[in-house]
Short mmCIF file of all heavy atoms in Angstrom, two decimals:
data_model
loop_
_atom_site.label_atom_id
_atom_site.label_comp_id
_atom_site.label_asym_id
_atom_site.label_seq_id
_atom_site.Cartn_x
_atom_site.Cartn_y
_atom_site.Cartn_z
N GLN A 25 53.53 118.72 73.45
CA GLN A 25 53.16 120.11 73.17
C GLN A 25 52.30 120.20 71.91
O GLN A 25 51.56 121.16 71.73
CB GLN A 25 54.41 120.98 73.02
CG GLN A 25 55.12 121.23 74.35
CD GLN A 25 56.18 122.32 74.23
OE1 GLN A 25 56.27 123.02 73.22
NE2 GLN A 25 57.00 122.44 75.25
N ILE A 26 52.43 119.20 71.03
CA ILE A 26 51.58 119.20 69.83
C ILE A 26 50.13 119.02 70.27
O ILE A 26 49.23 119.71 69.79
CB ILE A 26 52.01 118.09 68.85
CG1 ILE A 26 53.47 118.28 68.45
CG2 ILE A 26 51.11 118.09 67.62
CD1 ILE A 26 54.02 117.18 67.55
N GLU A 28 48.97 119.91 73.08
CA GLU A 28 48.57 121.15 73.74
C GLU A 28 48.10 122.18 72.72
O GLU A 28 47.11 122.88 72.93
CB GLU A 28 49.77 121.69 74.56
CG GLU A 28 49.39 122.79 75.54
CD GLU A 28 50.57 123.26 76.39
OE1 GLU A 28 51.53 122.46 76.59
OE2 GLU A 28 50.53 124.41 76.85
N VAL A 29 48.81 122.23 71.59
CA VAL A 29 48.40 123.15 70.52
C VAL A 29 47.06 122.70 69.93
O VAL A 29 46.15 123.51 69.70
CB VAL A 29 49.48 123.23 69.43
CG1 VAL A 29 48.98 124.02 68.23
CG2 VAL A 29 50.76 123.85 69.99
N ALA A 30 46.94 121.39 69.70
CA ALA A 30 45.69 120.87 69.13
C ALA A 30 44.52 121.19 70.06
O ALA A 30 43.43 121.58 69.61
CB ALA A 30 45.80 119.36 68.88
N ALA A 32 44.34 123.71 72.01
CA ALA A 32 44.08 125.14 71.90
C ALA A 32 43.18 125.44 70.71
O ALA A 32 42.47 126.45 70.69
CB ALA A 32 45.40 125.91 71.78
N GLY A 33 43.22 124.55 69.72
CA GLY A 33 42.38 124.75 68.54
C GLY A 33 41.03 124.08 68.64
O GLY A 33 40.24 124.12 67.69
N TRP A 43 50.29 119.34 61.84
CA TRP A 43 51.09 119.18 63.06
C TRP A 43 51.53 117.76 63.33
O TRP A 43 52.54 117.56 63.99
CB TRP A 43 50.34 119.76 64.26
CG TRP A 43 48.87 119.52 64.33
CD1 TRP A 43 48.19 118.41 63.93
CD2 TRP A 43 47.88 120.44 64.84
NE1 TRP A 43 46.85 118.57 64.17
CE2 TRP A 43 46.62 119.81 64.72
CE3 TRP A 43 47.92 121.72 65.39
CZ2 TRP A 43 45.43 120.42 65.13
CZ3 TRP A 43 46.74 122.32 65.80
CH2 TRP A 43 45.52 121.68 65.66
N LEU A 337 60.41 131.68 61.87
CA LEU A 337 59.54 132.78 61.38
C LEU A 337 59.31 133.75 62.53
O LEU A 337 59.61 133.42 63.69
CB LEU A 337 58.23 132.23 60.83
CG LEU A 337 57.16 131.71 61.81
CD1 LEU A 337 55.84 131.53 61.08
CD2 LEU A 337 57.60 130.42 62.44
N GLY A 339 58.13 135.51 65.64
CA GLY A 339 57.33 135.05 66.76
C GLY A 339 57.70 133.66 67.25
O GLY A 339 57.25 133.23 68.32
N ALA A 340 58.53 132.95 66.48
CA ALA A 340 58.80 131.55 66.81
C ALA A 340 59.74 131.41 68.01
O ALA A 340 59.95 130.29 68.49
CB ALA A 340 59.37 130.80 65.61
N GLN A 342 58.92 132.12 70.80
CA GLN A 342 58.01 131.47 71.74
C GLN A 342 57.08 130.59 70.92
O GLN A 342 55.93 130.92 70.66
CB GLN A 342 57.23 132.50 72.56
CG GLN A 342 58.02 132.92 73.79
CD GLN A 342 57.89 134.39 74.12
OE1 GLN A 342 57.27 135.16 73.38
NE2 GLN A 342 58.50 134.78 75.22
N SER A 343 57.64 129.46 70.50
CA SER A 343 56.95 128.68 69.46
C SER A 343 55.64 128.09 69.94
O SER A 343 54.69 127.97 69.16
CB SER A 343 57.89 127.59 68.92
OG SER A 343 58.28 126.71 69.95
N LEU A 344 55.56 127.73 71.21
CA LEU A 344 54.31 127.15 71.70
C LEU A 344 53.19 128.19 71.64
O LEU A 344 52.09 127.92 71.14
CB LEU A 344 54.49 126.63 73.14
CG LEU A 344 53.27 126.00 73.80
CD1 LEU A 344 52.74 124.82 73.01
CD2 LEU A 344 53.60 125.58 75.24
N ALA A 345 53.49 129.39 72.12
CA ALA A 345 52.49 130.47 72.08
C ALA A 345 52.14 130.81 70.63
O ALA A 345 50.96 131.04 70.29
CB ALA A 345 53.02 131.71 72.81
N LEU A 346 53.15 130.86 69.78
CA LEU A 346 52.90 131.17 68.37
C LEU A 346 51.96 130.14 67.75
O LEU A 346 51.01 130.48 67.05
CB LEU A 346 54.22 131.21 67.60
CG LEU A 346 54.09 131.36 66.08
CD1 LEU A 346 53.50 132.72 65.71
CD2 LEU A 346 55.46 131.17 65.39
N CYS A 347 52.24 128.87 67.99
CA CYS A 347 51.43 127.82 67.36
C CYS A 347 50.00 127.83 67.88
O CYS A 347 49.05 127.57 67.13
CB CYS A 347 52.08 126.46 67.57
SG CYS A 347 53.61 126.29 66.62
N LYS A 348 49.83 128.15 69.17
CA LYS A 348 48.47 128.27 69.69
C LYS A 348 47.75 129.43 69.01
O LYS A 348 46.57 129.31 68.64
CB LYS A 348 48.50 128.49 71.21
CG LYS A 348 48.86 127.25 72.01
CD LYS A 348 48.85 127.57 73.50
CE LYS A 348 49.23 126.35 74.33
NZ LYS A 348 49.25 126.66 75.77
N ALA A 349 48.45 130.55 68.83
CA ALA A 349 47.84 131.70 68.17
C ALA A 349 47.50 131.35 66.72
O ALA A 349 46.44 131.75 66.20
CB ALA A 349 48.77 132.91 68.24
N LEU A 350 48.38 130.62 66.05
CA LEU A 350 48.13 130.27 64.64
C LEU A 350 46.87 129.43 64.50
O LEU A 350 46.06 129.65 63.59
CB LEU A 350 49.34 129.50 64.07
CG LEU A 350 50.52 130.37 63.65
CD1 LEU A 350 51.77 129.51 63.43
CD2 LEU A 350 50.20 131.16 62.37
N VAL A 351 46.68 128.49 65.38
CA VAL A 351 45.49 127.65 65.22
C VAL A 351 44.24 128.42 65.63
O VAL A 351 43.19 128.33 64.97
CB VAL A 351 45.63 126.31 65.97
CG1 VAL A 351 45.64 126.48 67.48
CG2 VAL A 351 44.53 125.35 65.55
N ARG A 352 44.34 129.22 66.68
CA ARG A 352 43.15 129.95 67.14
C ARG A 352 42.74 131.03 66.14
O ARG A 352 41.57 131.21 65.86
CB ARG A 352 43.47 130.65 68.48
CG ARG A 352 43.36 129.75 69.68
CD ARG A 352 43.28 130.59 70.97
NE ARG A 352 43.69 129.79 72.13
CZ ARG A 352 44.78 130.04 72.84
NH1 ARG A 352 45.58 131.05 72.55
NH2 ARG A 352 45.07 129.26 73.87
N GLU A 353 43.73 131.73 65.60
CA GLU A 353 43.38 132.92 64.79
C GLU A 353 43.12 132.61 63.34
O GLU A 353 42.25 133.21 62.72
CB GLU A 353 44.50 133.97 64.90
CG GLU A 353 44.60 134.55 66.31
CD GLU A 353 45.59 135.72 66.37
OE1 GLU A 353 45.78 136.40 65.35
OE2 GLU A 353 46.18 135.90 67.44
N LEU A 356 45.49 127.41 61.40
CA LEU A 356 46.66 126.72 60.84
C LEU A 356 47.31 125.88 61.94
O LEU A 356 47.73 126.41 62.96
CB LEU A 356 47.67 127.74 60.29
CG LEU A 356 48.99 127.13 59.78
CD1 LEU A 356 48.76 126.24 58.56
CD2 LEU A 356 49.99 128.25 59.45
N GLY A 357 47.40 124.56 61.70
CA GLY A 357 47.95 123.66 62.72
C GLY A 357 49.36 123.25 62.40
O GLY A 357 49.58 122.43 61.51
N VAL A 358 50.33 123.82 63.10
CA VAL A 358 51.72 123.38 62.98
C VAL A 358 52.25 123.10 64.38
O VAL A 358 51.66 123.49 65.38
CB VAL A 358 52.61 124.43 62.25
CG1 VAL A 358 52.20 124.55 60.79
CG2 VAL A 358 52.55 125.78 62.94
N ALA A 359 53.37 122.39 64.44
CA ALA A 359 53.92 121.94 65.73
C ALA A 359 54.99 122.89 66.21
O ALA A 359 55.86 123.31 65.43
CB ALA A 359 54.49 120.53 65.58
N PRO A 360 54.99 123.23 67.51
CA PRO A 360 56.01 124.14 68.04
C PRO A 360 57.37 123.45 68.12
O PRO A 360 57.46 122.29 68.53
CB PRO A 360 55.49 124.47 69.43
CG PRO A 360 54.63 123.31 69.82
CD PRO A 360 54.04 122.78 68.54
N GLY A 361 58.41 124.18 67.77
CA GLY A 361 59.76 123.61 67.84
C GLY A 361 60.14 123.15 69.23
O GLY A 361 60.88 122.17 69.39
N SER A 362 59.61 123.83 70.25
CA SER A 362 59.96 123.46 71.62
C SER A 362 59.43 122.07 71.99
O SER A 362 59.88 121.48 72.97
CB SER A 362 59.42 124.51 72.60
OG SER A 362 58.02 124.65 72.42
N PHE A 371 61.66 127.62 66.20
CA PHE A 371 61.24 127.00 64.94
C PHE A 371 59.83 126.43 65.08
O PHE A 371 59.32 126.27 66.19
CB PHE A 371 62.21 125.86 64.58
CG PHE A 371 63.61 126.34 64.30
CD1 PHE A 371 64.50 126.59 65.35
CD2 PHE A 371 64.04 126.56 62.99
CE1 PHE A 371 65.79 127.05 65.10
CE2 PHE A 371 65.33 127.01 62.75
CZ PHE A 371 66.20 127.26 63.80
N VAL A 372 59.24 126.13 63.94
CA VAL A 372 58.01 125.34 63.94
C VAL A 372 58.19 124.20 62.93
O VAL A 372 58.99 124.29 62.00
CB VAL A 372 56.75 126.16 63.58
CG1 VAL A 372 56.56 127.31 64.56
CG2 VAL A 372 56.79 126.65 62.15
N ARG A 373 57.44 123.13 63.16
CA ARG A 373 57.50 121.97 62.26
C ARG A 373 56.21 121.88 61.45
O ARG A 373 55.11 121.94 62.00
CB ARG A 373 57.67 120.67 63.05
CG ARG A 373 57.93 119.46 62.14
CD ARG A 373 57.84 118.14 62.90
NE ARG A 373 56.46 117.77 63.18
CZ ARG A 373 56.09 116.60 63.71
NH1 ARG A 373 57.01 115.69 64.03
NH2 ARG A 373 54.82 116.33 63.95
N PHE A 393 48.14 135.68 58.84
CA PHE A 393 48.56 135.86 60.23
C PHE A 393 49.74 136.81 60.32
O PHE A 393 49.75 137.72 61.16
CB PHE A 393 48.93 134.49 60.82
CG PHE A 393 49.34 134.52 62.25
CD1 PHE A 393 48.40 134.36 63.26
CD2 PHE A 393 50.67 134.72 62.63
CE1 PHE A 393 48.77 134.39 64.60
CE2 PHE A 393 51.04 134.76 63.96
CZ PHE A 393 50.09 134.59 64.95
#
Side-chain angles (χ1 to χ4, degrees):
Chain A
Q25 287 192 11
I26 302 176
E28 193 177 335
V29 172
W43 40 35
L337 73 167
Q342 273 142 356
S343 60
L344 180 59
L346 174 65
C347 291
K348 287 181 181 179
L350 280 166
V351 68
R352 279 197 202 114
E353 293 187 28
L356 175 65
V358 293
S362 56
F371 296 81
V372 301
R373 188 191 76 173
F393 182 91

